[in-house]
Structure formats: C-alpha cells, structure tokens
Amino acid sequence: MTALTAQLSNHIGAIFKNQGLPEELGAVRTSDRPDLAQFQCNGAMAAAKIAKKAPRMIAEAIVAELQNDPLFSEVSIAGPGFINLKLTEEALSNHLLELGNSPSFLVPDSGQGKCAIVDYGGPNTAKPMHVGHLRSSIIGESVKRTLKFIGYDAKGDIHLGDWGTHMGMVISEFEIRHPEWVYFDENKVDDYPSEPPVTIKDLEKLYPEASQASKSNEDRMAISRKATADLQNKRPGYYALWQHCFNISVEAMKKNFGALDVYFDLWLGESNAQDYIPDMAQKMQDDGHAIKDRGAIVIHVQQDTDKKEYPPLILYKSDGAVMYGTTDLATIVQRVEDFDPVKMVYVVDQRQHLHFEQVFRAARITKIIKDDVEMIHAGFGTMNGQDGTPFKTRAGGVMKLQDLIKMGIEKATLRIEEANIGESYSAEERADIAHKVAIAAIKFADLQNSRIADYIFDLDRLTSFEGKTGPYILYQAVRMKSLLRKAEDQGFPVHAPSTIELGDHETQIALILTEFPSVIEQAAQNYTPHVLADYAYRLAQAYSSFYSHCPVLGETDEELRQSRLYITGLALRLLEQSLDLLGIPTPERM
C-alpha cells in the first residue's frame, strides 16, 4: 500500500521498462495544470537523450500502451512530450476506499524498528522561557510526531542547558546573599533539605541580576567560574542546590510546554553527559584525533576538499574548561550507548549551523557514531515583529513564552466573542476552545513557513477565522464534526459505500485526499512541517468549496449522500491527523 502517485509511477515505470528505458522515468506527480490533467509524467523528456529520439515520439509510444488501460479515462500529450493523465472514476473511487480503510492512510512504516532522536527545546534551567524557545519546540515536536507516524521509535530530547556558567552565576549569587545556607557549609556533605529554598520566580529574578553582576565585573565572573567548576566536580552542597534549581525549572518548563501541546520523552541535559566526557576525551587523544594546540585540546575538522575554513572543535580550553561541542559529543556517546539511533535530528537556530557542522564532523572523525547514522541539523530562521526585527515586548525586552501564550488566549477569546461562538457553552468549554484557537494560531503561524525562513508574527492577523490561519482550519474541522454528528442524529451513519460517486467538486477534494501519503513522506524526509501545514490548509479550503457546492444531509439520493458523507468523514480524519502531526489539537465544537 503506497501513495497514489507511487502506484501510478510503478505502473507507468513498467511501460518505460518495456520500451527499454529506465523504469524511474515513469515517475508520476500531481499535474501543474489541474485544468488539463490530474497527473503528469515528464519522463519522455529525459528519455530523449537515452533513446536518441524526439521526446514526443517516446511519449507517443508510452501513450499508445495506455490508451486502453482501465486506470485512465484520458491520456494525452502536451507540448514536446509531457504525458497528461486522468483517472477513471472507478479507479479514483477504489483508491479512496483503500485510503480510508488503511489505519495509516497508506503511509508505509519505513522507520519500523529504528530509533531516531529529535533534539529540540533546549532551554536553560534557572532562566525564564522566552519566545526564542518557541520555534525549536513546535518544529521539533512536529518532526518527532511525523517520524513516529512513519514507524520510528522517535524520542524527543529537550537537551537542557543545566550545567554551564549560568548555573555558576546563580549558585555563587545565592552564596553571596545567603552564606548561612547549609549548602555552603564545606564541612557538610549530605542530608540537605528536601524542599527547595527558592521558587521559580526567585530564580527568574535572580539570574539576570547575577548575570549582570558577573559580566560587569571580572572578579565577580571569576567567582562564577569557580562555582561552575566546583559544581561540575559535584561539590555536595552546590550539587544539592543545583538539583533544587533543576527540579523547579523543569516543573515550570512542563507547564509552558504542556500549554503548547509539546512533550518530551527525555528530560536530559548537559549534566547527564558530564560523566561521559573524561573517558571520551581520553580515547580521542589516545587515538590521535584530539591534539594539543596552544594549550587547548582540539579536534581538527577541516577537510582537504573544503572551500571555506572550519575552525577546530575545542574539547578542553587551555584552562581545562569544556565547551558546548564537548558536551554535545558526549551526549552523542550517551545516545548511542542507550538507544543506538539510526538518526539524530537537531532542531536548533540556523545561526548555529557551523557549530553542528563541527560536531558532526568530529563525531565521524572520532568514530563515536557509525558511518550510516544520519546527523541532521534542521535549522530554522527567526520569529520577527512587524518591524522585521526579533519579536519583543512593547517595552523592547524579550517576551516570556508564557506571556505570549497568554496574549494569544486573550486575543482568541476576543475573536470568539466577536463571532458569537459558544454563547450557550459553559465557561469551562469556552476557555478550552479559546486555548485551542490560540495554540492553533501561534503554531500554524510558525509551521506554515519553511523552517529556515524568517517570518513576521502578527497576532491580530493570525487569530483570524479567515485566510491561511490556524483558526480557519479549526473552523473547517469543527464544521465537518458538526455535519457528521447531525448525520448520525438523523439516522445516516457514515460507512464505506461500495463505490464513491465523484462529480467535479467531489473529484477536486478526492485528489487532495489522495496526496496525504506523499505529503507525509516529503515532510518526514526533509523535516519540513510547512508541507503538512500547507496540505492542511488546502484540504480545509477544498472541503469548504465541496461543502458549498455539494449538499450532504439535504441530498435525497441515498448513494450520493453516503458518498458525500464518506468524503466528509475521510477529510476530517486526514485533517485531524495532519493537525495532530503539527501538534495542534481540535475542539469538538465552536
């Protein structure tokens, strides 16, 4: 069971093969000109050089074999040799029934039995989450869900920043302000309080102050660096206080991520990789891959074929401190040991591409991963305000993620009230709808863009129920749900008909429905949620047009009514599945 275009490609490819031409030239895709054909094959153009014939002659030979094929109602040639194809109503109907009968909607489980790690999120402990964490989180969540859908044991790893200098700044600031705390008694090594002495609000207030103090005074920074080194050497009191900071930070993060419908399988951070570093670094030195360079220990990643310079990856600085590249390599060692993944996808800002190129090269040079393990940096652009600069608060500061979500919910609530939606619903249900509309607006605004592109975030436009927005797509999904409930109430339960009646408007949406497996394949292969978002929007648009032109419950012809109910049911299933892969939940009614 495969996508319709794949089935047609195999069918046409066999005919190319019979003509003594490469089978892959039979590749079929959705037509660029839907007014002329449903599908097209351009293989005759490429075959011309191989066969030393005019492409139209080759196309004519292929078409001659297709003229009486029961799959096609029309086969023609356009231009110099483009083959246009139109399916019979029976062939399209049969495929729709096959699509609806498949639990996976004909999407092959190509990742079955394989592990994939998706590294996304990446916030730091003891710091408030801000809008800069949004893109990584929601793109990564969609990538993980899509890989799971095609069969991978895909694990989302938040990869917390929990072990760096920022924690040394926080702990040393606590020691300066509260030297009486038991955590700073060097004679005490255990039996520390089980309850944290601080809250997340304390941390959010203290970190900026500690950071500013350290960055403005070199002596103060030296204290932070020493505290960092002591923490990384697991000084008992520091480590106990760090554990408190870690726990309350994670608790706050889970609330933010939960509000976005983003979830992680692994809540690991740099601290979890720390114990892997000594043995890993020693082996790299023993093998000659890591060498001393001006007091530091580095891995040279430059290759002879490179046309630009790649700096070496620093394992240890001259003062013995480790770098992000060190912990990233140690994390790879840990992942290989624990999960043996076939691929690792890092959903991180595109501006970090050089860093990941260094890490991936170092991982291959040192053989800490197998040659066939995929290492992918799925970079992304920035979320900007209407002035084209990175999105900030009105006062010009960095906006907290929870404040953005709150703004979205407030704007969604206003939109719902303006549209008189749910006036008779309970306050609890209206709040749930507003939350789902807000999340759909925020997420779809991001995910509809190519991930490497920057985009303008405009909450007023993105919460609209019109245009290419998340709320518009939710509205179409809810419309389908409402129609199917009414059908059930009126004694018209949805079931698969023996054949689907396909007029012009039914055919238009049917062809979009058949694209789903190809869309999933493309989104999974290229780590591009925007392909899914575009499909969801086109499907929502197609259903709106279908709904306007094709009466469903009012149709008196029983077979035609059942066909339209089946199309509605299948459209809803595929739209909800697409939205789920984007991490967007749908309300039952609006």
Side-chain angles (χ1 to χ4, degrees):
M1 296 188 293
T2 55
L4 180 55
T5 50
Q7 293 181 24
L8 295 176
S9 296
N10 291 336
H11 192 74
I12 306 297
I15 297 175
F16 270 87
K17 187 175 181 180
N18 290 340
Q19 298 286 331
L21 295 167
E23 192 172 0
E24 59 268 22
L25 295 177
V28 171
R29 59 186 178 88
T30 302
S31 175
D32 294 331
R33 290 286 306 275
D35 55 320
L36 298 179
Q38 297 169 350
F39 302 95
Q40 67 186 66
C41 173
N42 302 337
M45 310 300 291
K49 291 183 180 180
I50 300 172
K52 295 182 170 51
K53 294 180 182 178
R56 192 172 183 90
M57 290 179 62
I58 296 170
E60 287 171 349
I62 301 296
V63 166
E65 291 200 39
L66 292 172
Q67 289 294 349
N68 297 317
D69 194 310
L71 277 177
F72 304 104
S73 61
E74 292 181 22
V75 183
S76 61
I77 303 172
F82 302 111
I83 301 173
N84 287 333
L85 306 163
K86 183 177 180 181
L87 293 177
T88 63
E89 184 175 324
E90 180 183 8
L92 184 53
S93 171
N94 289 341
H95 186 80
L96 281 183
L97 293 170
E98 184 183 13
L99 182 68
N101 192 49
S102 167
S104 65
F105 304 112
L106 302 181
V107 177
D109 58 346
S110 53
Q112 191 65 40
K114 304 172 186 175
C115 177
I117 302 291
V118 184
D119 183 321
Y120 61 105
N124 291 328
T125 53
K127 296 183 184 181
M129 289 183 64
H130 54 78
V131 294
H133 297 117
L134 182 69
R135 298 213 72 189
S136 174
S137 304
I138 62 179
I139 294 171
E141 180 71 14
S142 180
V143 168
K144 179 194 70 179
R145 292 185 183 208
T146 303
L147 291 176
K148 279 181 178 289
F149 190 73
I150 64 171
Y152 282 94
D153 175 17
K155 300 182 184 298
D157 187 352
I158 192 171
H159 194 66
L160 294 164
D162 64 344
W163 204 238
T165 305
H166 77 287
M167 286 308 307
M169 293 176 180
V170 168
I171 289 172
S172 59
E173 188 69 19
F174 277 132
E175 186 166 13
I176 290 169
R177 298 185 185 191
H178 302 283
E180 75 282 2
W181 284 3
V182 295
Y183 305 98
F184 308 125
D185 182 351
E186 294 188 27
N187 296 317
K188 187 175 179 60
V189 296
D190 56 18
D191 196 27
Y192 295 101
S194 59
E195 292 298 317
V198 294
T199 66
I200 189 63
K201 288 185 178 180
D202 294 330
L203 287 177
E204 290 178 356
K205 182 176 184 297
L206 182 134
Y207 169 72
E209 295 171 357
S211 176
Q212 178 61 31
S214 295
K215 291 176 181 178
S216 62
N217 185 300
E218 185 54 42
D219 290 339
R220 175 67 182 84
M221 179 61 85
I223 294 172
S224 293
R225 291 196 183 103
K226 183 179 185 306
T228 303
D230 287 345
L231 170 64
Q232 292 177 352
N233 288 323
K234 295 189 177 179
R235 174 175 161 177
Y238 282 15
Y239 189 77
L241 182 56
W242 169 86
Q243 191 68 63
H244 285 313
C245 294
F246 179 91
N247 291 339
I248 61 178
S249 295
V250 166
E251 183 180 356
M253 288 174 196
K254 286 184 175 180
K255 290 179 181 177
N256 275 312
F257 284 124
L260 287 170
D261 216 35
V262 170
Y263 303 99
F264 297 92
D265 303 275
L266 305 171
W267 284 83
L268 303 177
E270 295 166 345
S271 60
N272 298 97
Q274 184 73 16
D275 291 342
Y276 291 83
I277 291 175
D279 289 346
M280 176 194 76
Q282 187 61 55
K283 186 175 188 307
M284 290 175 175
Q285 293 178 76
D286 293 343
D287 292 345
H289 298 306
I291 61 173
K292 283 191 176 181
D293 187 337
R294 287 175 287 185
I297 304 296
V298 306
I299 301 172
H300 289 284
V301 298
Q302 185 82 21
Q303 298 174 1
D304 293 339
T305 56
D306 289 333
K307 295 182 179 179
K308 66 176 183 179
E309 184 177 350
Y310 285 89
L313 183 141
I314 301 174
L315 277 182
Y316 289 107
K317 295 198 303 183
S318 57
D319 62 1
V322 299
M323 303 287 282
Y324 285 125
T326 318
T327 55
D328 281 340
L329 287 173
T331 298
I332 292 172
V333 172
Q334 181 184 18
R335 288 170 177 168
V336 169
E337 182 177 304
D338 291 348
F339 306 110
D340 192 24
V342 298
K343 66 171 67 186
M344 296 181 224
V345 185
Y346 293 76
V347 184
V348 184
D349 192 318
Q350 184 65 23
R351 289 170 292 187
Q352 298 296 316
H353 186 71
L354 175 59
H355 168 77
F356 284 105
E357 184 69 23
Q358 290 175 289
V359 170
F360 297 166
R361 287 182 175 209
R364 297 200 185 282
I365 289 169
T366 59
K367 304 295 184 184
I368 63 174
I369 57 168
K370 300 174 185 175
D371 291 340
D372 58 353
V373 174
E374 290 184 71
M375 303 291 290
I376 302 103
H377 174 215
F380 55 82
T382 58
M383 169 183 165
N384 295 325
Q386 294 185 57
D387 61 356
T389 63
F391 191 77
K392 296 182 182 296
T393 64
R394 290 181 180 178
V398 177
M399 180 173 286
K400 292 181 181 180
L401 186 56
Q402 64 187 32
D403 291 339
L404 176 68
I405 296 170
K406 182 180 177 182
M407 283 174 53
I409 293 173
E410 290 172 350
K411 183 65 69 174
T413 300
L414 181 61
R415 293 288 195 193
I416 289 169
E417 290 173 351
E418 290 173 347
N420 299 318
I421 292 173
E423 291 180 304
S424 62
Y425 302 169
S426 68
E428 183 180 17
E429 184 175 4
R430 287 198 304 273
D432 180 67
I433 292 170
H435 183 267
K436 286 183 168 70
V437 169
I439 296 307
I442 292 169
K443 284 192 165 185
F444 194 82
D446 188 300
L447 296 174
Q448 68 174 297
N449 302 283
S450 171
R451 60 174 164 75
I452 62 171
D454 299 341
Y455 76 97
I456 302 295
F457 186 85
D458 179 354
L459 198 56
D460 285 331
R461 179 177 63 83
L462 300 171
T463 52
S464 172
F465 284 93
E466 298 178 355
K468 193 174 183 179
T469 68
Y472 168 79
I473 297 174
L474 289 191
Y475 178 77
Q476 296 303 329
V478 169
R479 170 188 274 180
M480 297 176 203
K481 290 183 178 184
S482 176
L483 188 150
L484 293 173
R485 279 196 299 268
K486 290 177 181 177
E488 192 78 28
D489 292 342
Q490 294 177 25
F492 304 140
V494 180
H495 60 79
S498 57
T499 187
I500 301 173
E501 302 285 336
L502 295 170
D504 290 343
H505 294 291
E506 291 94 338
T507 297
Q508 288 175 15
I509 188 171
L511 290 170
I512 292 177
L513 292 172
T514 67
E515 291 181 37
F516 181 78
S518 298
V519 168
I520 296 296
E521 181 181 16
Q522 186 179 353
Q525 283 184 349
N526 302 316
Y527 316 102
T528 47
H530 79 274
V531 175
L532 265 170
D534 183 66
Y535 177 77
Y537 175 63
R538 289 190 295 112
L539 179 53
Q541 276 190 311
Y543 186 79
S544 181
S545 176
F546 164 81
Y547 183 85
S548 298
H549 292 93
C550 301
V552 183
L553 298 181
E555 178 56 55
T556 56
D557 184 302
E558 185 177 346
E559 290 186 0
L560 186 54
R561 181 178 63 239
Q562 188 55 46
S563 288
R564 291 174 177 173
L565 280 171
Y566 180 81
I567 288 173
T568 298
L570 184 55
L572 175 60
R573 290 168 63 198
L574 292 181
L575 185 57
E576 284 205 289
Q577 183 65 75
S578 300
L579 290 171
D580 181 71
L581 293 176
L582 294 170
I584 298 175
T586 57
E588 286 304 305
R589 58 180 186 167
M590 285 169 62

